Amino acid sequence: MVSGKKTWLLACLALMLILVSACSNSNKGTETKNGAEQGANGSNETKGSEDAKGSEKTEKVTLKVLQFWPEHEEQMNKSFDLFTKANPNIEVEMTTVTWDTIETTLKTKIASNDRPDIAFGWPGAFTQQFVDDGEIMDLTDKLSQDAEWKDSIVPFSLNFGTTAEGKIYNLPFRGSFFTAFYNKDLFDQHSLAVPSNLSELNQLFASLKEKGILPMASSGSPSLPSYFINYLRTNGLKNDEGSLEDYSKGLIPSNDKNGIGALEQFKSWFTNGFFDKNLLTITREQAQQQFYDGKAAILMANNNELKAIKEAVTFELGQFPLPFDNGEKYAFGSMDGYFVMQKTEHPEEALLLAKFLNSNEVQSLWAKETGSAMTNPTAGDAIEDAFLSATAKEIKNVNPMNEANFYVTYTDQSWTADQESKLQGLLLNKIQPKEIADWLEQKKQETMIK
Amino acid sequence: MAALRTARFWMIGLFVIPPLVLIFFFTYYLSFQSLRLAFFEFSSGQEIGFNGLQNFRDALNAERFGPAVIVTLKIVAVVTVFQIAGGFFLAYFLVRSNKWVQNIGRVAIFIPVVLPGTVVAILWKFIYTPEGGLLNTLLEAIGLGSWAMPWLGTTETSLYASIAVNIWKYVGLTMMLFYLAMQNVSKDQLEAARVDGATARQELWYVYLPAVKPVLEINLVLTVLGSLRAFDIYNMLTNGGPVGSTTTLTKLIVDNITARNYGEGAAMSVMLFAVIALVTVLIRKSFGGEQK
């Protein structure tokens, strides 16, 4: 009887241990490993094989990378293969999670002292929180002392990872920006031309509307396309020869005539029917469908969606950045970047890999295989498709969609939800443009680090 | 014998201690931490010191706090009335129906309860879609095209459209509890009432209603508490918009925490917890009083 109980006890204990070990492994994402320990057939080994080759590992350095593109694991592995071939003493262990879990994953890894050496993430608020915690390495001096490295990055894209104090923490990897895709067949059929300034854009919208075509397919749920307001604001600012840098530093108020004018113009686009009348409830997928079906002439979309959009449409696709009156071109967006962790045990090797990720070798591979707008100045040349290549090269025109990404850092972002609510109120006639501009200026002054 | 007792002791410990540890950590320790955070100041997500009741003052003065309280109270009022009444009458209808209707009805009405909130929200988003959505198409088909509108896109309709989904999802649970209580009404009681000449309405009032009173208390507590904490369906349907018309208190708390405004978010959580505790006690007292 007693021995029966003991057997039960042992069985229960074993079951618990299995459960505990299963739980502890369930939230680690996908882990793959590249380097000298990789199998001869080039396939990735799981982490489990690491211990078996422990004696060999003591002579090598293993860099841990946390990244957020499950759909680009292949390109990531190829990049690390290139790196480990050039640096046989280093191997790379990659953990892949989805973009919406990377923040939690990184925080958990930091809390459990299981930091990666390099982590992917966006510049601006995402990076800033880890900078505040002293978790990210300052790369300002490293870049200024290494001309080759610095030259391998489109200069303007570096601003995204630059803090209010002028320090560089986040290295841009590829661009992520909004650009206007249009139905070229529809434009040709109605003899419409690509606009070269705001006035022509307004005329184009009015002509399309008159012909019974929805000018702009855009989603308004869960958030409104506020990049249009930034575009209109910046265009007004440029017309007055104002400095974007001064504006971003808060030296030009949000409630000046251009600020209010941008809100008025955005509202007029909505009331004139240039957007869908149900903009507030239109999801991204619905907006895309309107464009695919030929019901809408222009689709504002992320450059990284281009390949998918091109495959979905049956007409010839065109692209143009939102036009400025002074002839300048800007695409509104941000960068997907990465950073080196301050507490890495292998700073030298981590910096080597960080630099390698900006190299033409890696960047061209990504450009060719994904059509992404890479931050290496010549990577776009690797894309064979002329249209994809032209869009990818728009990286040089990318301008911050959000002021918070550009020099200025806000201590409090809770008001961005209030801002969304007020913009909805603007379109529903519940609040006037000037009230929003005044409120925005007040919030900026309250929360901006000067 | 002693060895058996020791083995039994360890066996019990093995089963009891792990859940106790988990409950202590995930319920009590984290709740205590939340309470503690409400009294501390944060900057860029970093705790920088004790600041007394300032977070509570900031929370009460926050621009969206007042409207969120009103939205939450509207949800509590409308959901409580319609879900309890709906659940009661659905249960009464099923109890008086034949077995076939009872079996089909129970399952059909209870299915939304087991569906995940995300699925329900996606389903109803399709129903409420302004162009080609099921509801507007139906209205047009029956000649009420002028009633068609972007149900989730106006401040006048978005809250009530979301509340309707909330009730649709949870009325099955309310109904099931009432239904089980009504099943306890004995045939003798019903026959005695009928012999005394009771009408259907009198039967409902004097036989069924007293029988479900204990369950009414449970249903009230579940419905009111669920409404005070309303978040998932409202957030997924409208993300709190338009113009904050569906922003509930819980949504506001989540927004604050997401924006690393931990102190204010925790202060709101503490206030919500206090209200929930108070309401629970009041409901229980009111029913306890009547039973005595």
Side-chain angles (χ1 to χ4, degrees):
Chain A
M1 183 70 183
V2 175
S3 105
K5 292 267 181 190
K6 277 184 178 170
T7 312
W8 265 106
L9 197 66
L10 284 170
C12 290
L13 199 63
L15 188 67
M16 274 193 67
L17 283 172
I18 291 165
L19 282 172
V20 167
S21 79
C23 287
S24 67
N25 282 324
S26 65
N27 196 27
K28 284 191 171 176
T30 314
E31 287 189 8
T32 53
K33 198 172 190 179
N34 301 70
E37 289 180 15
Q38 202 168 302
N41 59 2
S43 64
N44 296 313
E45 291 182 2
T46 57
K47 201 189 172 194
S49 64
E50 188 182 347
D51 297 335
K53 296 174 180 174
S55 60
E56 204 180 316
K57 188 178 175 292
T58 53
E59 298 159 18
K60 294 184 183 303
V61 167
T62 301
L63 290 176
K64 288 186 277 185
V65 176
L66 177 65
Q67 69 98 6
F68 53 19
W69 289 305
E71 71 276 26
H72 294 319
E73 258 190 330
E74 190 188 338
Q75 286 76 31
M76 207 53 104
N77 275 322
K78 284 181 181 173
S79 307
F80 296 145
D81 279 346
L82 290 171
F83 177 71
T84 50
K85 263 177 204 157
N87 301 277
N89 64 320
I90 306 173
E91 58 186 26
V92 181
E93 187 182 291
M94 175 177 71
T95 301
T96 305
V97 294
T98 52
W99 66 269
D100 54 340
T101 57
I102 189 127
E103 186 172 352
T104 317
T105 308
L106 185 55
K107 283 179 179 171
T108 309
K109 282 183 174 290
I110 289 170
S112 59
N113 211 15
D114 179 29
R115 291 172 180 78
D117 299 284
I118 288 178
F120 277 74
W122 306 272
F126 179 90
T127 297
Q128 188 65 45
Q129 60 183 317
F130 298 108
V131 171
D132 292 341
D133 296 348
E135 288 290 343
I136 303 182
M137 192 184 285
D138 178 2
L139 300 171
T140 321
D141 292 342
K142 307 273 186 306
L143 277 168
S144 63
Q145 288 159 12
D146 189 337
E148 186 197 358
W149 192 355
K150 200 166 185 180
D151 290 347
S152 69
I153 305 169
V154 174
F156 199 68
S157 67
L158 264 179
N159 288 340
F160 287 88
T162 307
T163 65
E165 297 82 27
K167 302 275 187 189
I168 297 170
Y169 289 94
N170 188 302
L171 291 165
F173 185 70
R174 71 171 192 176
S176 174
F177 51 86
F178 283 93
T179 191
F181 296 106
Y182 69 98
N183 184 332
K184 226 172 178 174
D185 293 350
L186 204 67
F187 269 50
D188 291 345
Q189 191 187 329
H190 295 285
S191 307
L192 297 167
V194 169
S196 57
N197 55 45
L198 176 60
S199 164
E200 285 181 17
L201 183 67
N202 275 318
Q203 282 169 21
L204 172 68
F205 282 170
S207 302
L208 285 162
K209 181 72 190 161
E210 211 177 277
K211 294 176 201 313
I213 302 162
L214 178 66
M216 182 69 79
S218 180
S219 70
S221 172
S223 54
L224 286 167
S226 57
Y227 45 83
F228 282 121
I229 299 169
N230 285 308
Y231 155 65
L232 293 164
R233 176 76 176 88
T234 311
N235 185 57
L237 187 78
K238 290 275 176 188
N239 285 346
D240 287 352
E241 295 180 349
S243 152
L244 194 61
E245 192 174 330
D246 284 348
Y247 170 59
S248 300
K249 283 179 175 170
L251 301 174
I252 298 172
S254 292
N255 54 351
D256 68 352
K257 72 175 171 62
N258 286 322
I260 298 167
L263 290 161
E264 281 169 346
Q265 174 94 75
F266 179 65
K267 187 182 173 183
S268 78
W269 281 1
F270 179 68
T271 50
N272 287 332
F274 297 166
F275 294 118
D276 190 291
K277 67 177 191 293
N278 299 311
L279 178 67
L280 267 67
T281 60
I282 297 269
T283 62
R284 197 177 64 153
E285 292 74 21
Q286 287 170 328
Q288 283 177 344
Q289 201 57 49
Q290 286 177 329
F291 183 65
Y292 299 161
D293 293 345
K295 289 177 185 164
I298 303 166
L299 172 74
M300 287 300 289
N302 189 286
N303 67 299
N304 292 312
E305 294 172 292
L306 175 54
K307 257 190 155 175
I309 293 171
K310 206 168 176 234
E311 281 166 18
V313 298
T314 51
F315 47 80
E316 197 182 342
L317 200 60
Q319 174 270 330
F320 63 87
L322 291 171
F324 281 77
D325 294 342
N326 64 0
E328 286 182 10
K329 285 180 178 178
Y330 283 118
F332 287 82
S334 184
M335 296 288 151
D336 295 326
Y338 58 98
F339 40 79
V340 180
M341 302 302 286
Q342 176 68 38
K343 292 175 186 167
T344 171
E345 287 172 18
H346 314 292
E348 206 178 306
E349 289 81 2
L351 285 167
L352 211 58
L353 176 57
K355 183 179 172 181
F356 190 76
L357 288 171
N358 287 130
S359 69
N360 185 269
E361 204 174 357
V362 170
Q363 295 266 314
S364 294
L365 183 147
W366 276 72
K368 194 174 179 182
E369 295 196 5
T370 69
S372 298
M374 305 307 292
T375 52
N376 185 292
T378 53
D381 297 337
I383 304 174
E384 284 162 20
D385 182 300
F387 180 59
L388 281 173
S389 177
T391 306
K393 285 175 183 172
E394 286 298 332
I395 184 85
K396 62 184 181 295
N397 297 319
V398 172
N399 192 44
M401 177 172 62
N402 186 335
E403 293 161 49
N405 285 338
F406 194 59
Y407 296 117
V408 178
T409 303
Y410 295 101
T411 55
D412 175 1
Q413 295 159 47
S414 58
W415 57 274
T416 51
D418 294 350
Q419 186 184 347
E420 179 63 25
S421 182
K422 286 188 189 303
L423 290 179
Q424 291 170 345
L426 175 75
L427 300 189
L428 293 174
N429 273 326
K430 306 263 178 202
I431 187 167
Q432 294 307 307
K434 188 174 182 319
E435 285 176 68
I436 299 179
D438 289 344
W439 173 85
L440 198 59
E441 179 58 19
Q442 183 202 329
K443 286 292 168 190
K444 265 176 67 176
Q445 294 303 331
E446 279 173 13
T447 57
M448 196 163 58
I449 296 172
K450 297 187 179 77
Chain B
M1 196 63 189
L4 183 62
R5 235 181 267 130
T6 311
R8 182 170 289 172
F9 173 80
W10 281 110
M11 175 74 92
I12 292 168
L14 194 68
F15 282 103
V16 172
I17 292 170
L20 273 182
V21 169
L22 293 176
I23 289 169
F24 177 80
F25 181 77
F26 287 107
T27 306
Y28 300 111
Y29 174 72
L30 294 183
S31 299
F32 173 76
Q33 278 297 326
S34 176
L35 180 67
R36 198 185 72 83
L37 292 182
F39 296 96
F40 282 80
E41 190 182 357
F42 289 82
S43 176
S44 299
Q46 297 294 301
E47 190 177 303
I48 54 174
F50 182 76
N51 74 341
L53 294 172
Q54 190 56 43
N55 288 332
F56 290 88
R57 279 191 284 269
D58 290 346
L60 291 169
N61 291 327
E63 199 175 323
R64 296 197 297 157
F65 185 76
V69 169
I70 292 169
V71 166
T72 307
L73 289 177
K74 279 183 183 172
I75 292 172
V76 171
V78 179
V79 170
T80 305
V81 169
F82 284 92
Q83 194 169 303
I84 299 278
F88 178 80
F89 285 110
L90 281 170
Y92 180 64
F93 165 75
L94 286 184
V95 161
R96 292 184 67 97
S97 303
N98 62 39
K99 277 282 165 202
W100 188 82
V101 174
Q102 281 192 28
N103 290 339
I104 300 280
R106 265 190 334 228
V107 174
I109 299 166
F110 197 73
I111 279 177
V113 179
V114 294
L115 288 177
T118 321
V119 174
V120 169
I122 292 169
L123 177 74
W124 278 89
K125 261 193 160 181
F126 278 118
I127 292 173
Y128 284 141
T129 297
E131 303 282 337
L134 187 68
L135 183 57
N136 282 350
T137 308
L138 194 70
L139 286 171
E140 276 155 24
I142 59 171
L144 293 172
S146 59
W147 289 19
M149 63 166 73
W151 296 95
L152 298 173
T154 73
T155 49
E156 290 77 21
T157 53
S158 60
L159 178 62
Y160 297 102
S162 305
I163 285 176
V165 180
N166 188 343
I167 294 172
W168 177 82
K169 177 162 168 51
Y170 291 110
V171 75
L173 182 65
T174 312
M175 179 274 294
M176 195 58 88
L177 291 171
F178 279 134
Y179 175 78
L180 292 171
M182 285 178 186
Q183 293 242 304
N184 288 332
V185 174
S186 69
K187 280 187 178 173
D188 296 347
Q189 256 180 298
L190 283 171
E191 275 169 16
R194 280 166 198 163
V195 168
D196 288 344
T199 61
R201 203 176 59 151
Q202 285 170 326
E203 223 173 74
L204 173 72
W205 193 255
Y206 295 110
V207 180
Y208 283 107
L209 205 58
V212 300
K213 251 190 182 174
V215 171
L216 180 63
E217 180 189 346
I218 297 165
N219 266 335
L220 257 181
V221 171
L222 288 177
T223 310
V224 173
L225 265 54
S227 304
L228 281 169
R229 294 180 292 126
F231 173 69
D232 58 347
I233 287 172
Y234 299 86
N235 189 51
M236 281 181 280
L237 280 174
T238 59
N239 196 31
V243 204
S245 57
T246 56
T247 299
T248 62
L249 265 176
T250 313
K251 162 78 177 155
L252 202 55
I253 292 167
V254 171
D255 281 354
N256 271 286
I257 302 290
T258 310
R260 303 203 301 160
N261 218 349
Y262 301 129
E264 216 172 296
M268 287 180 191
S269 299
V270 170
M271 286 191 276
L272 183 60
F273 175 76
V275 170
I276 286 174
L278 182 71
V279 169
T280 310
V281 169
L282 283 176
I283 293 173
R284 297 216 63 182
K285 281 223 163 195
S286 65
F287 276 82
E290 272 186 31
Q291 275 169 10
K292 280 170 199 170

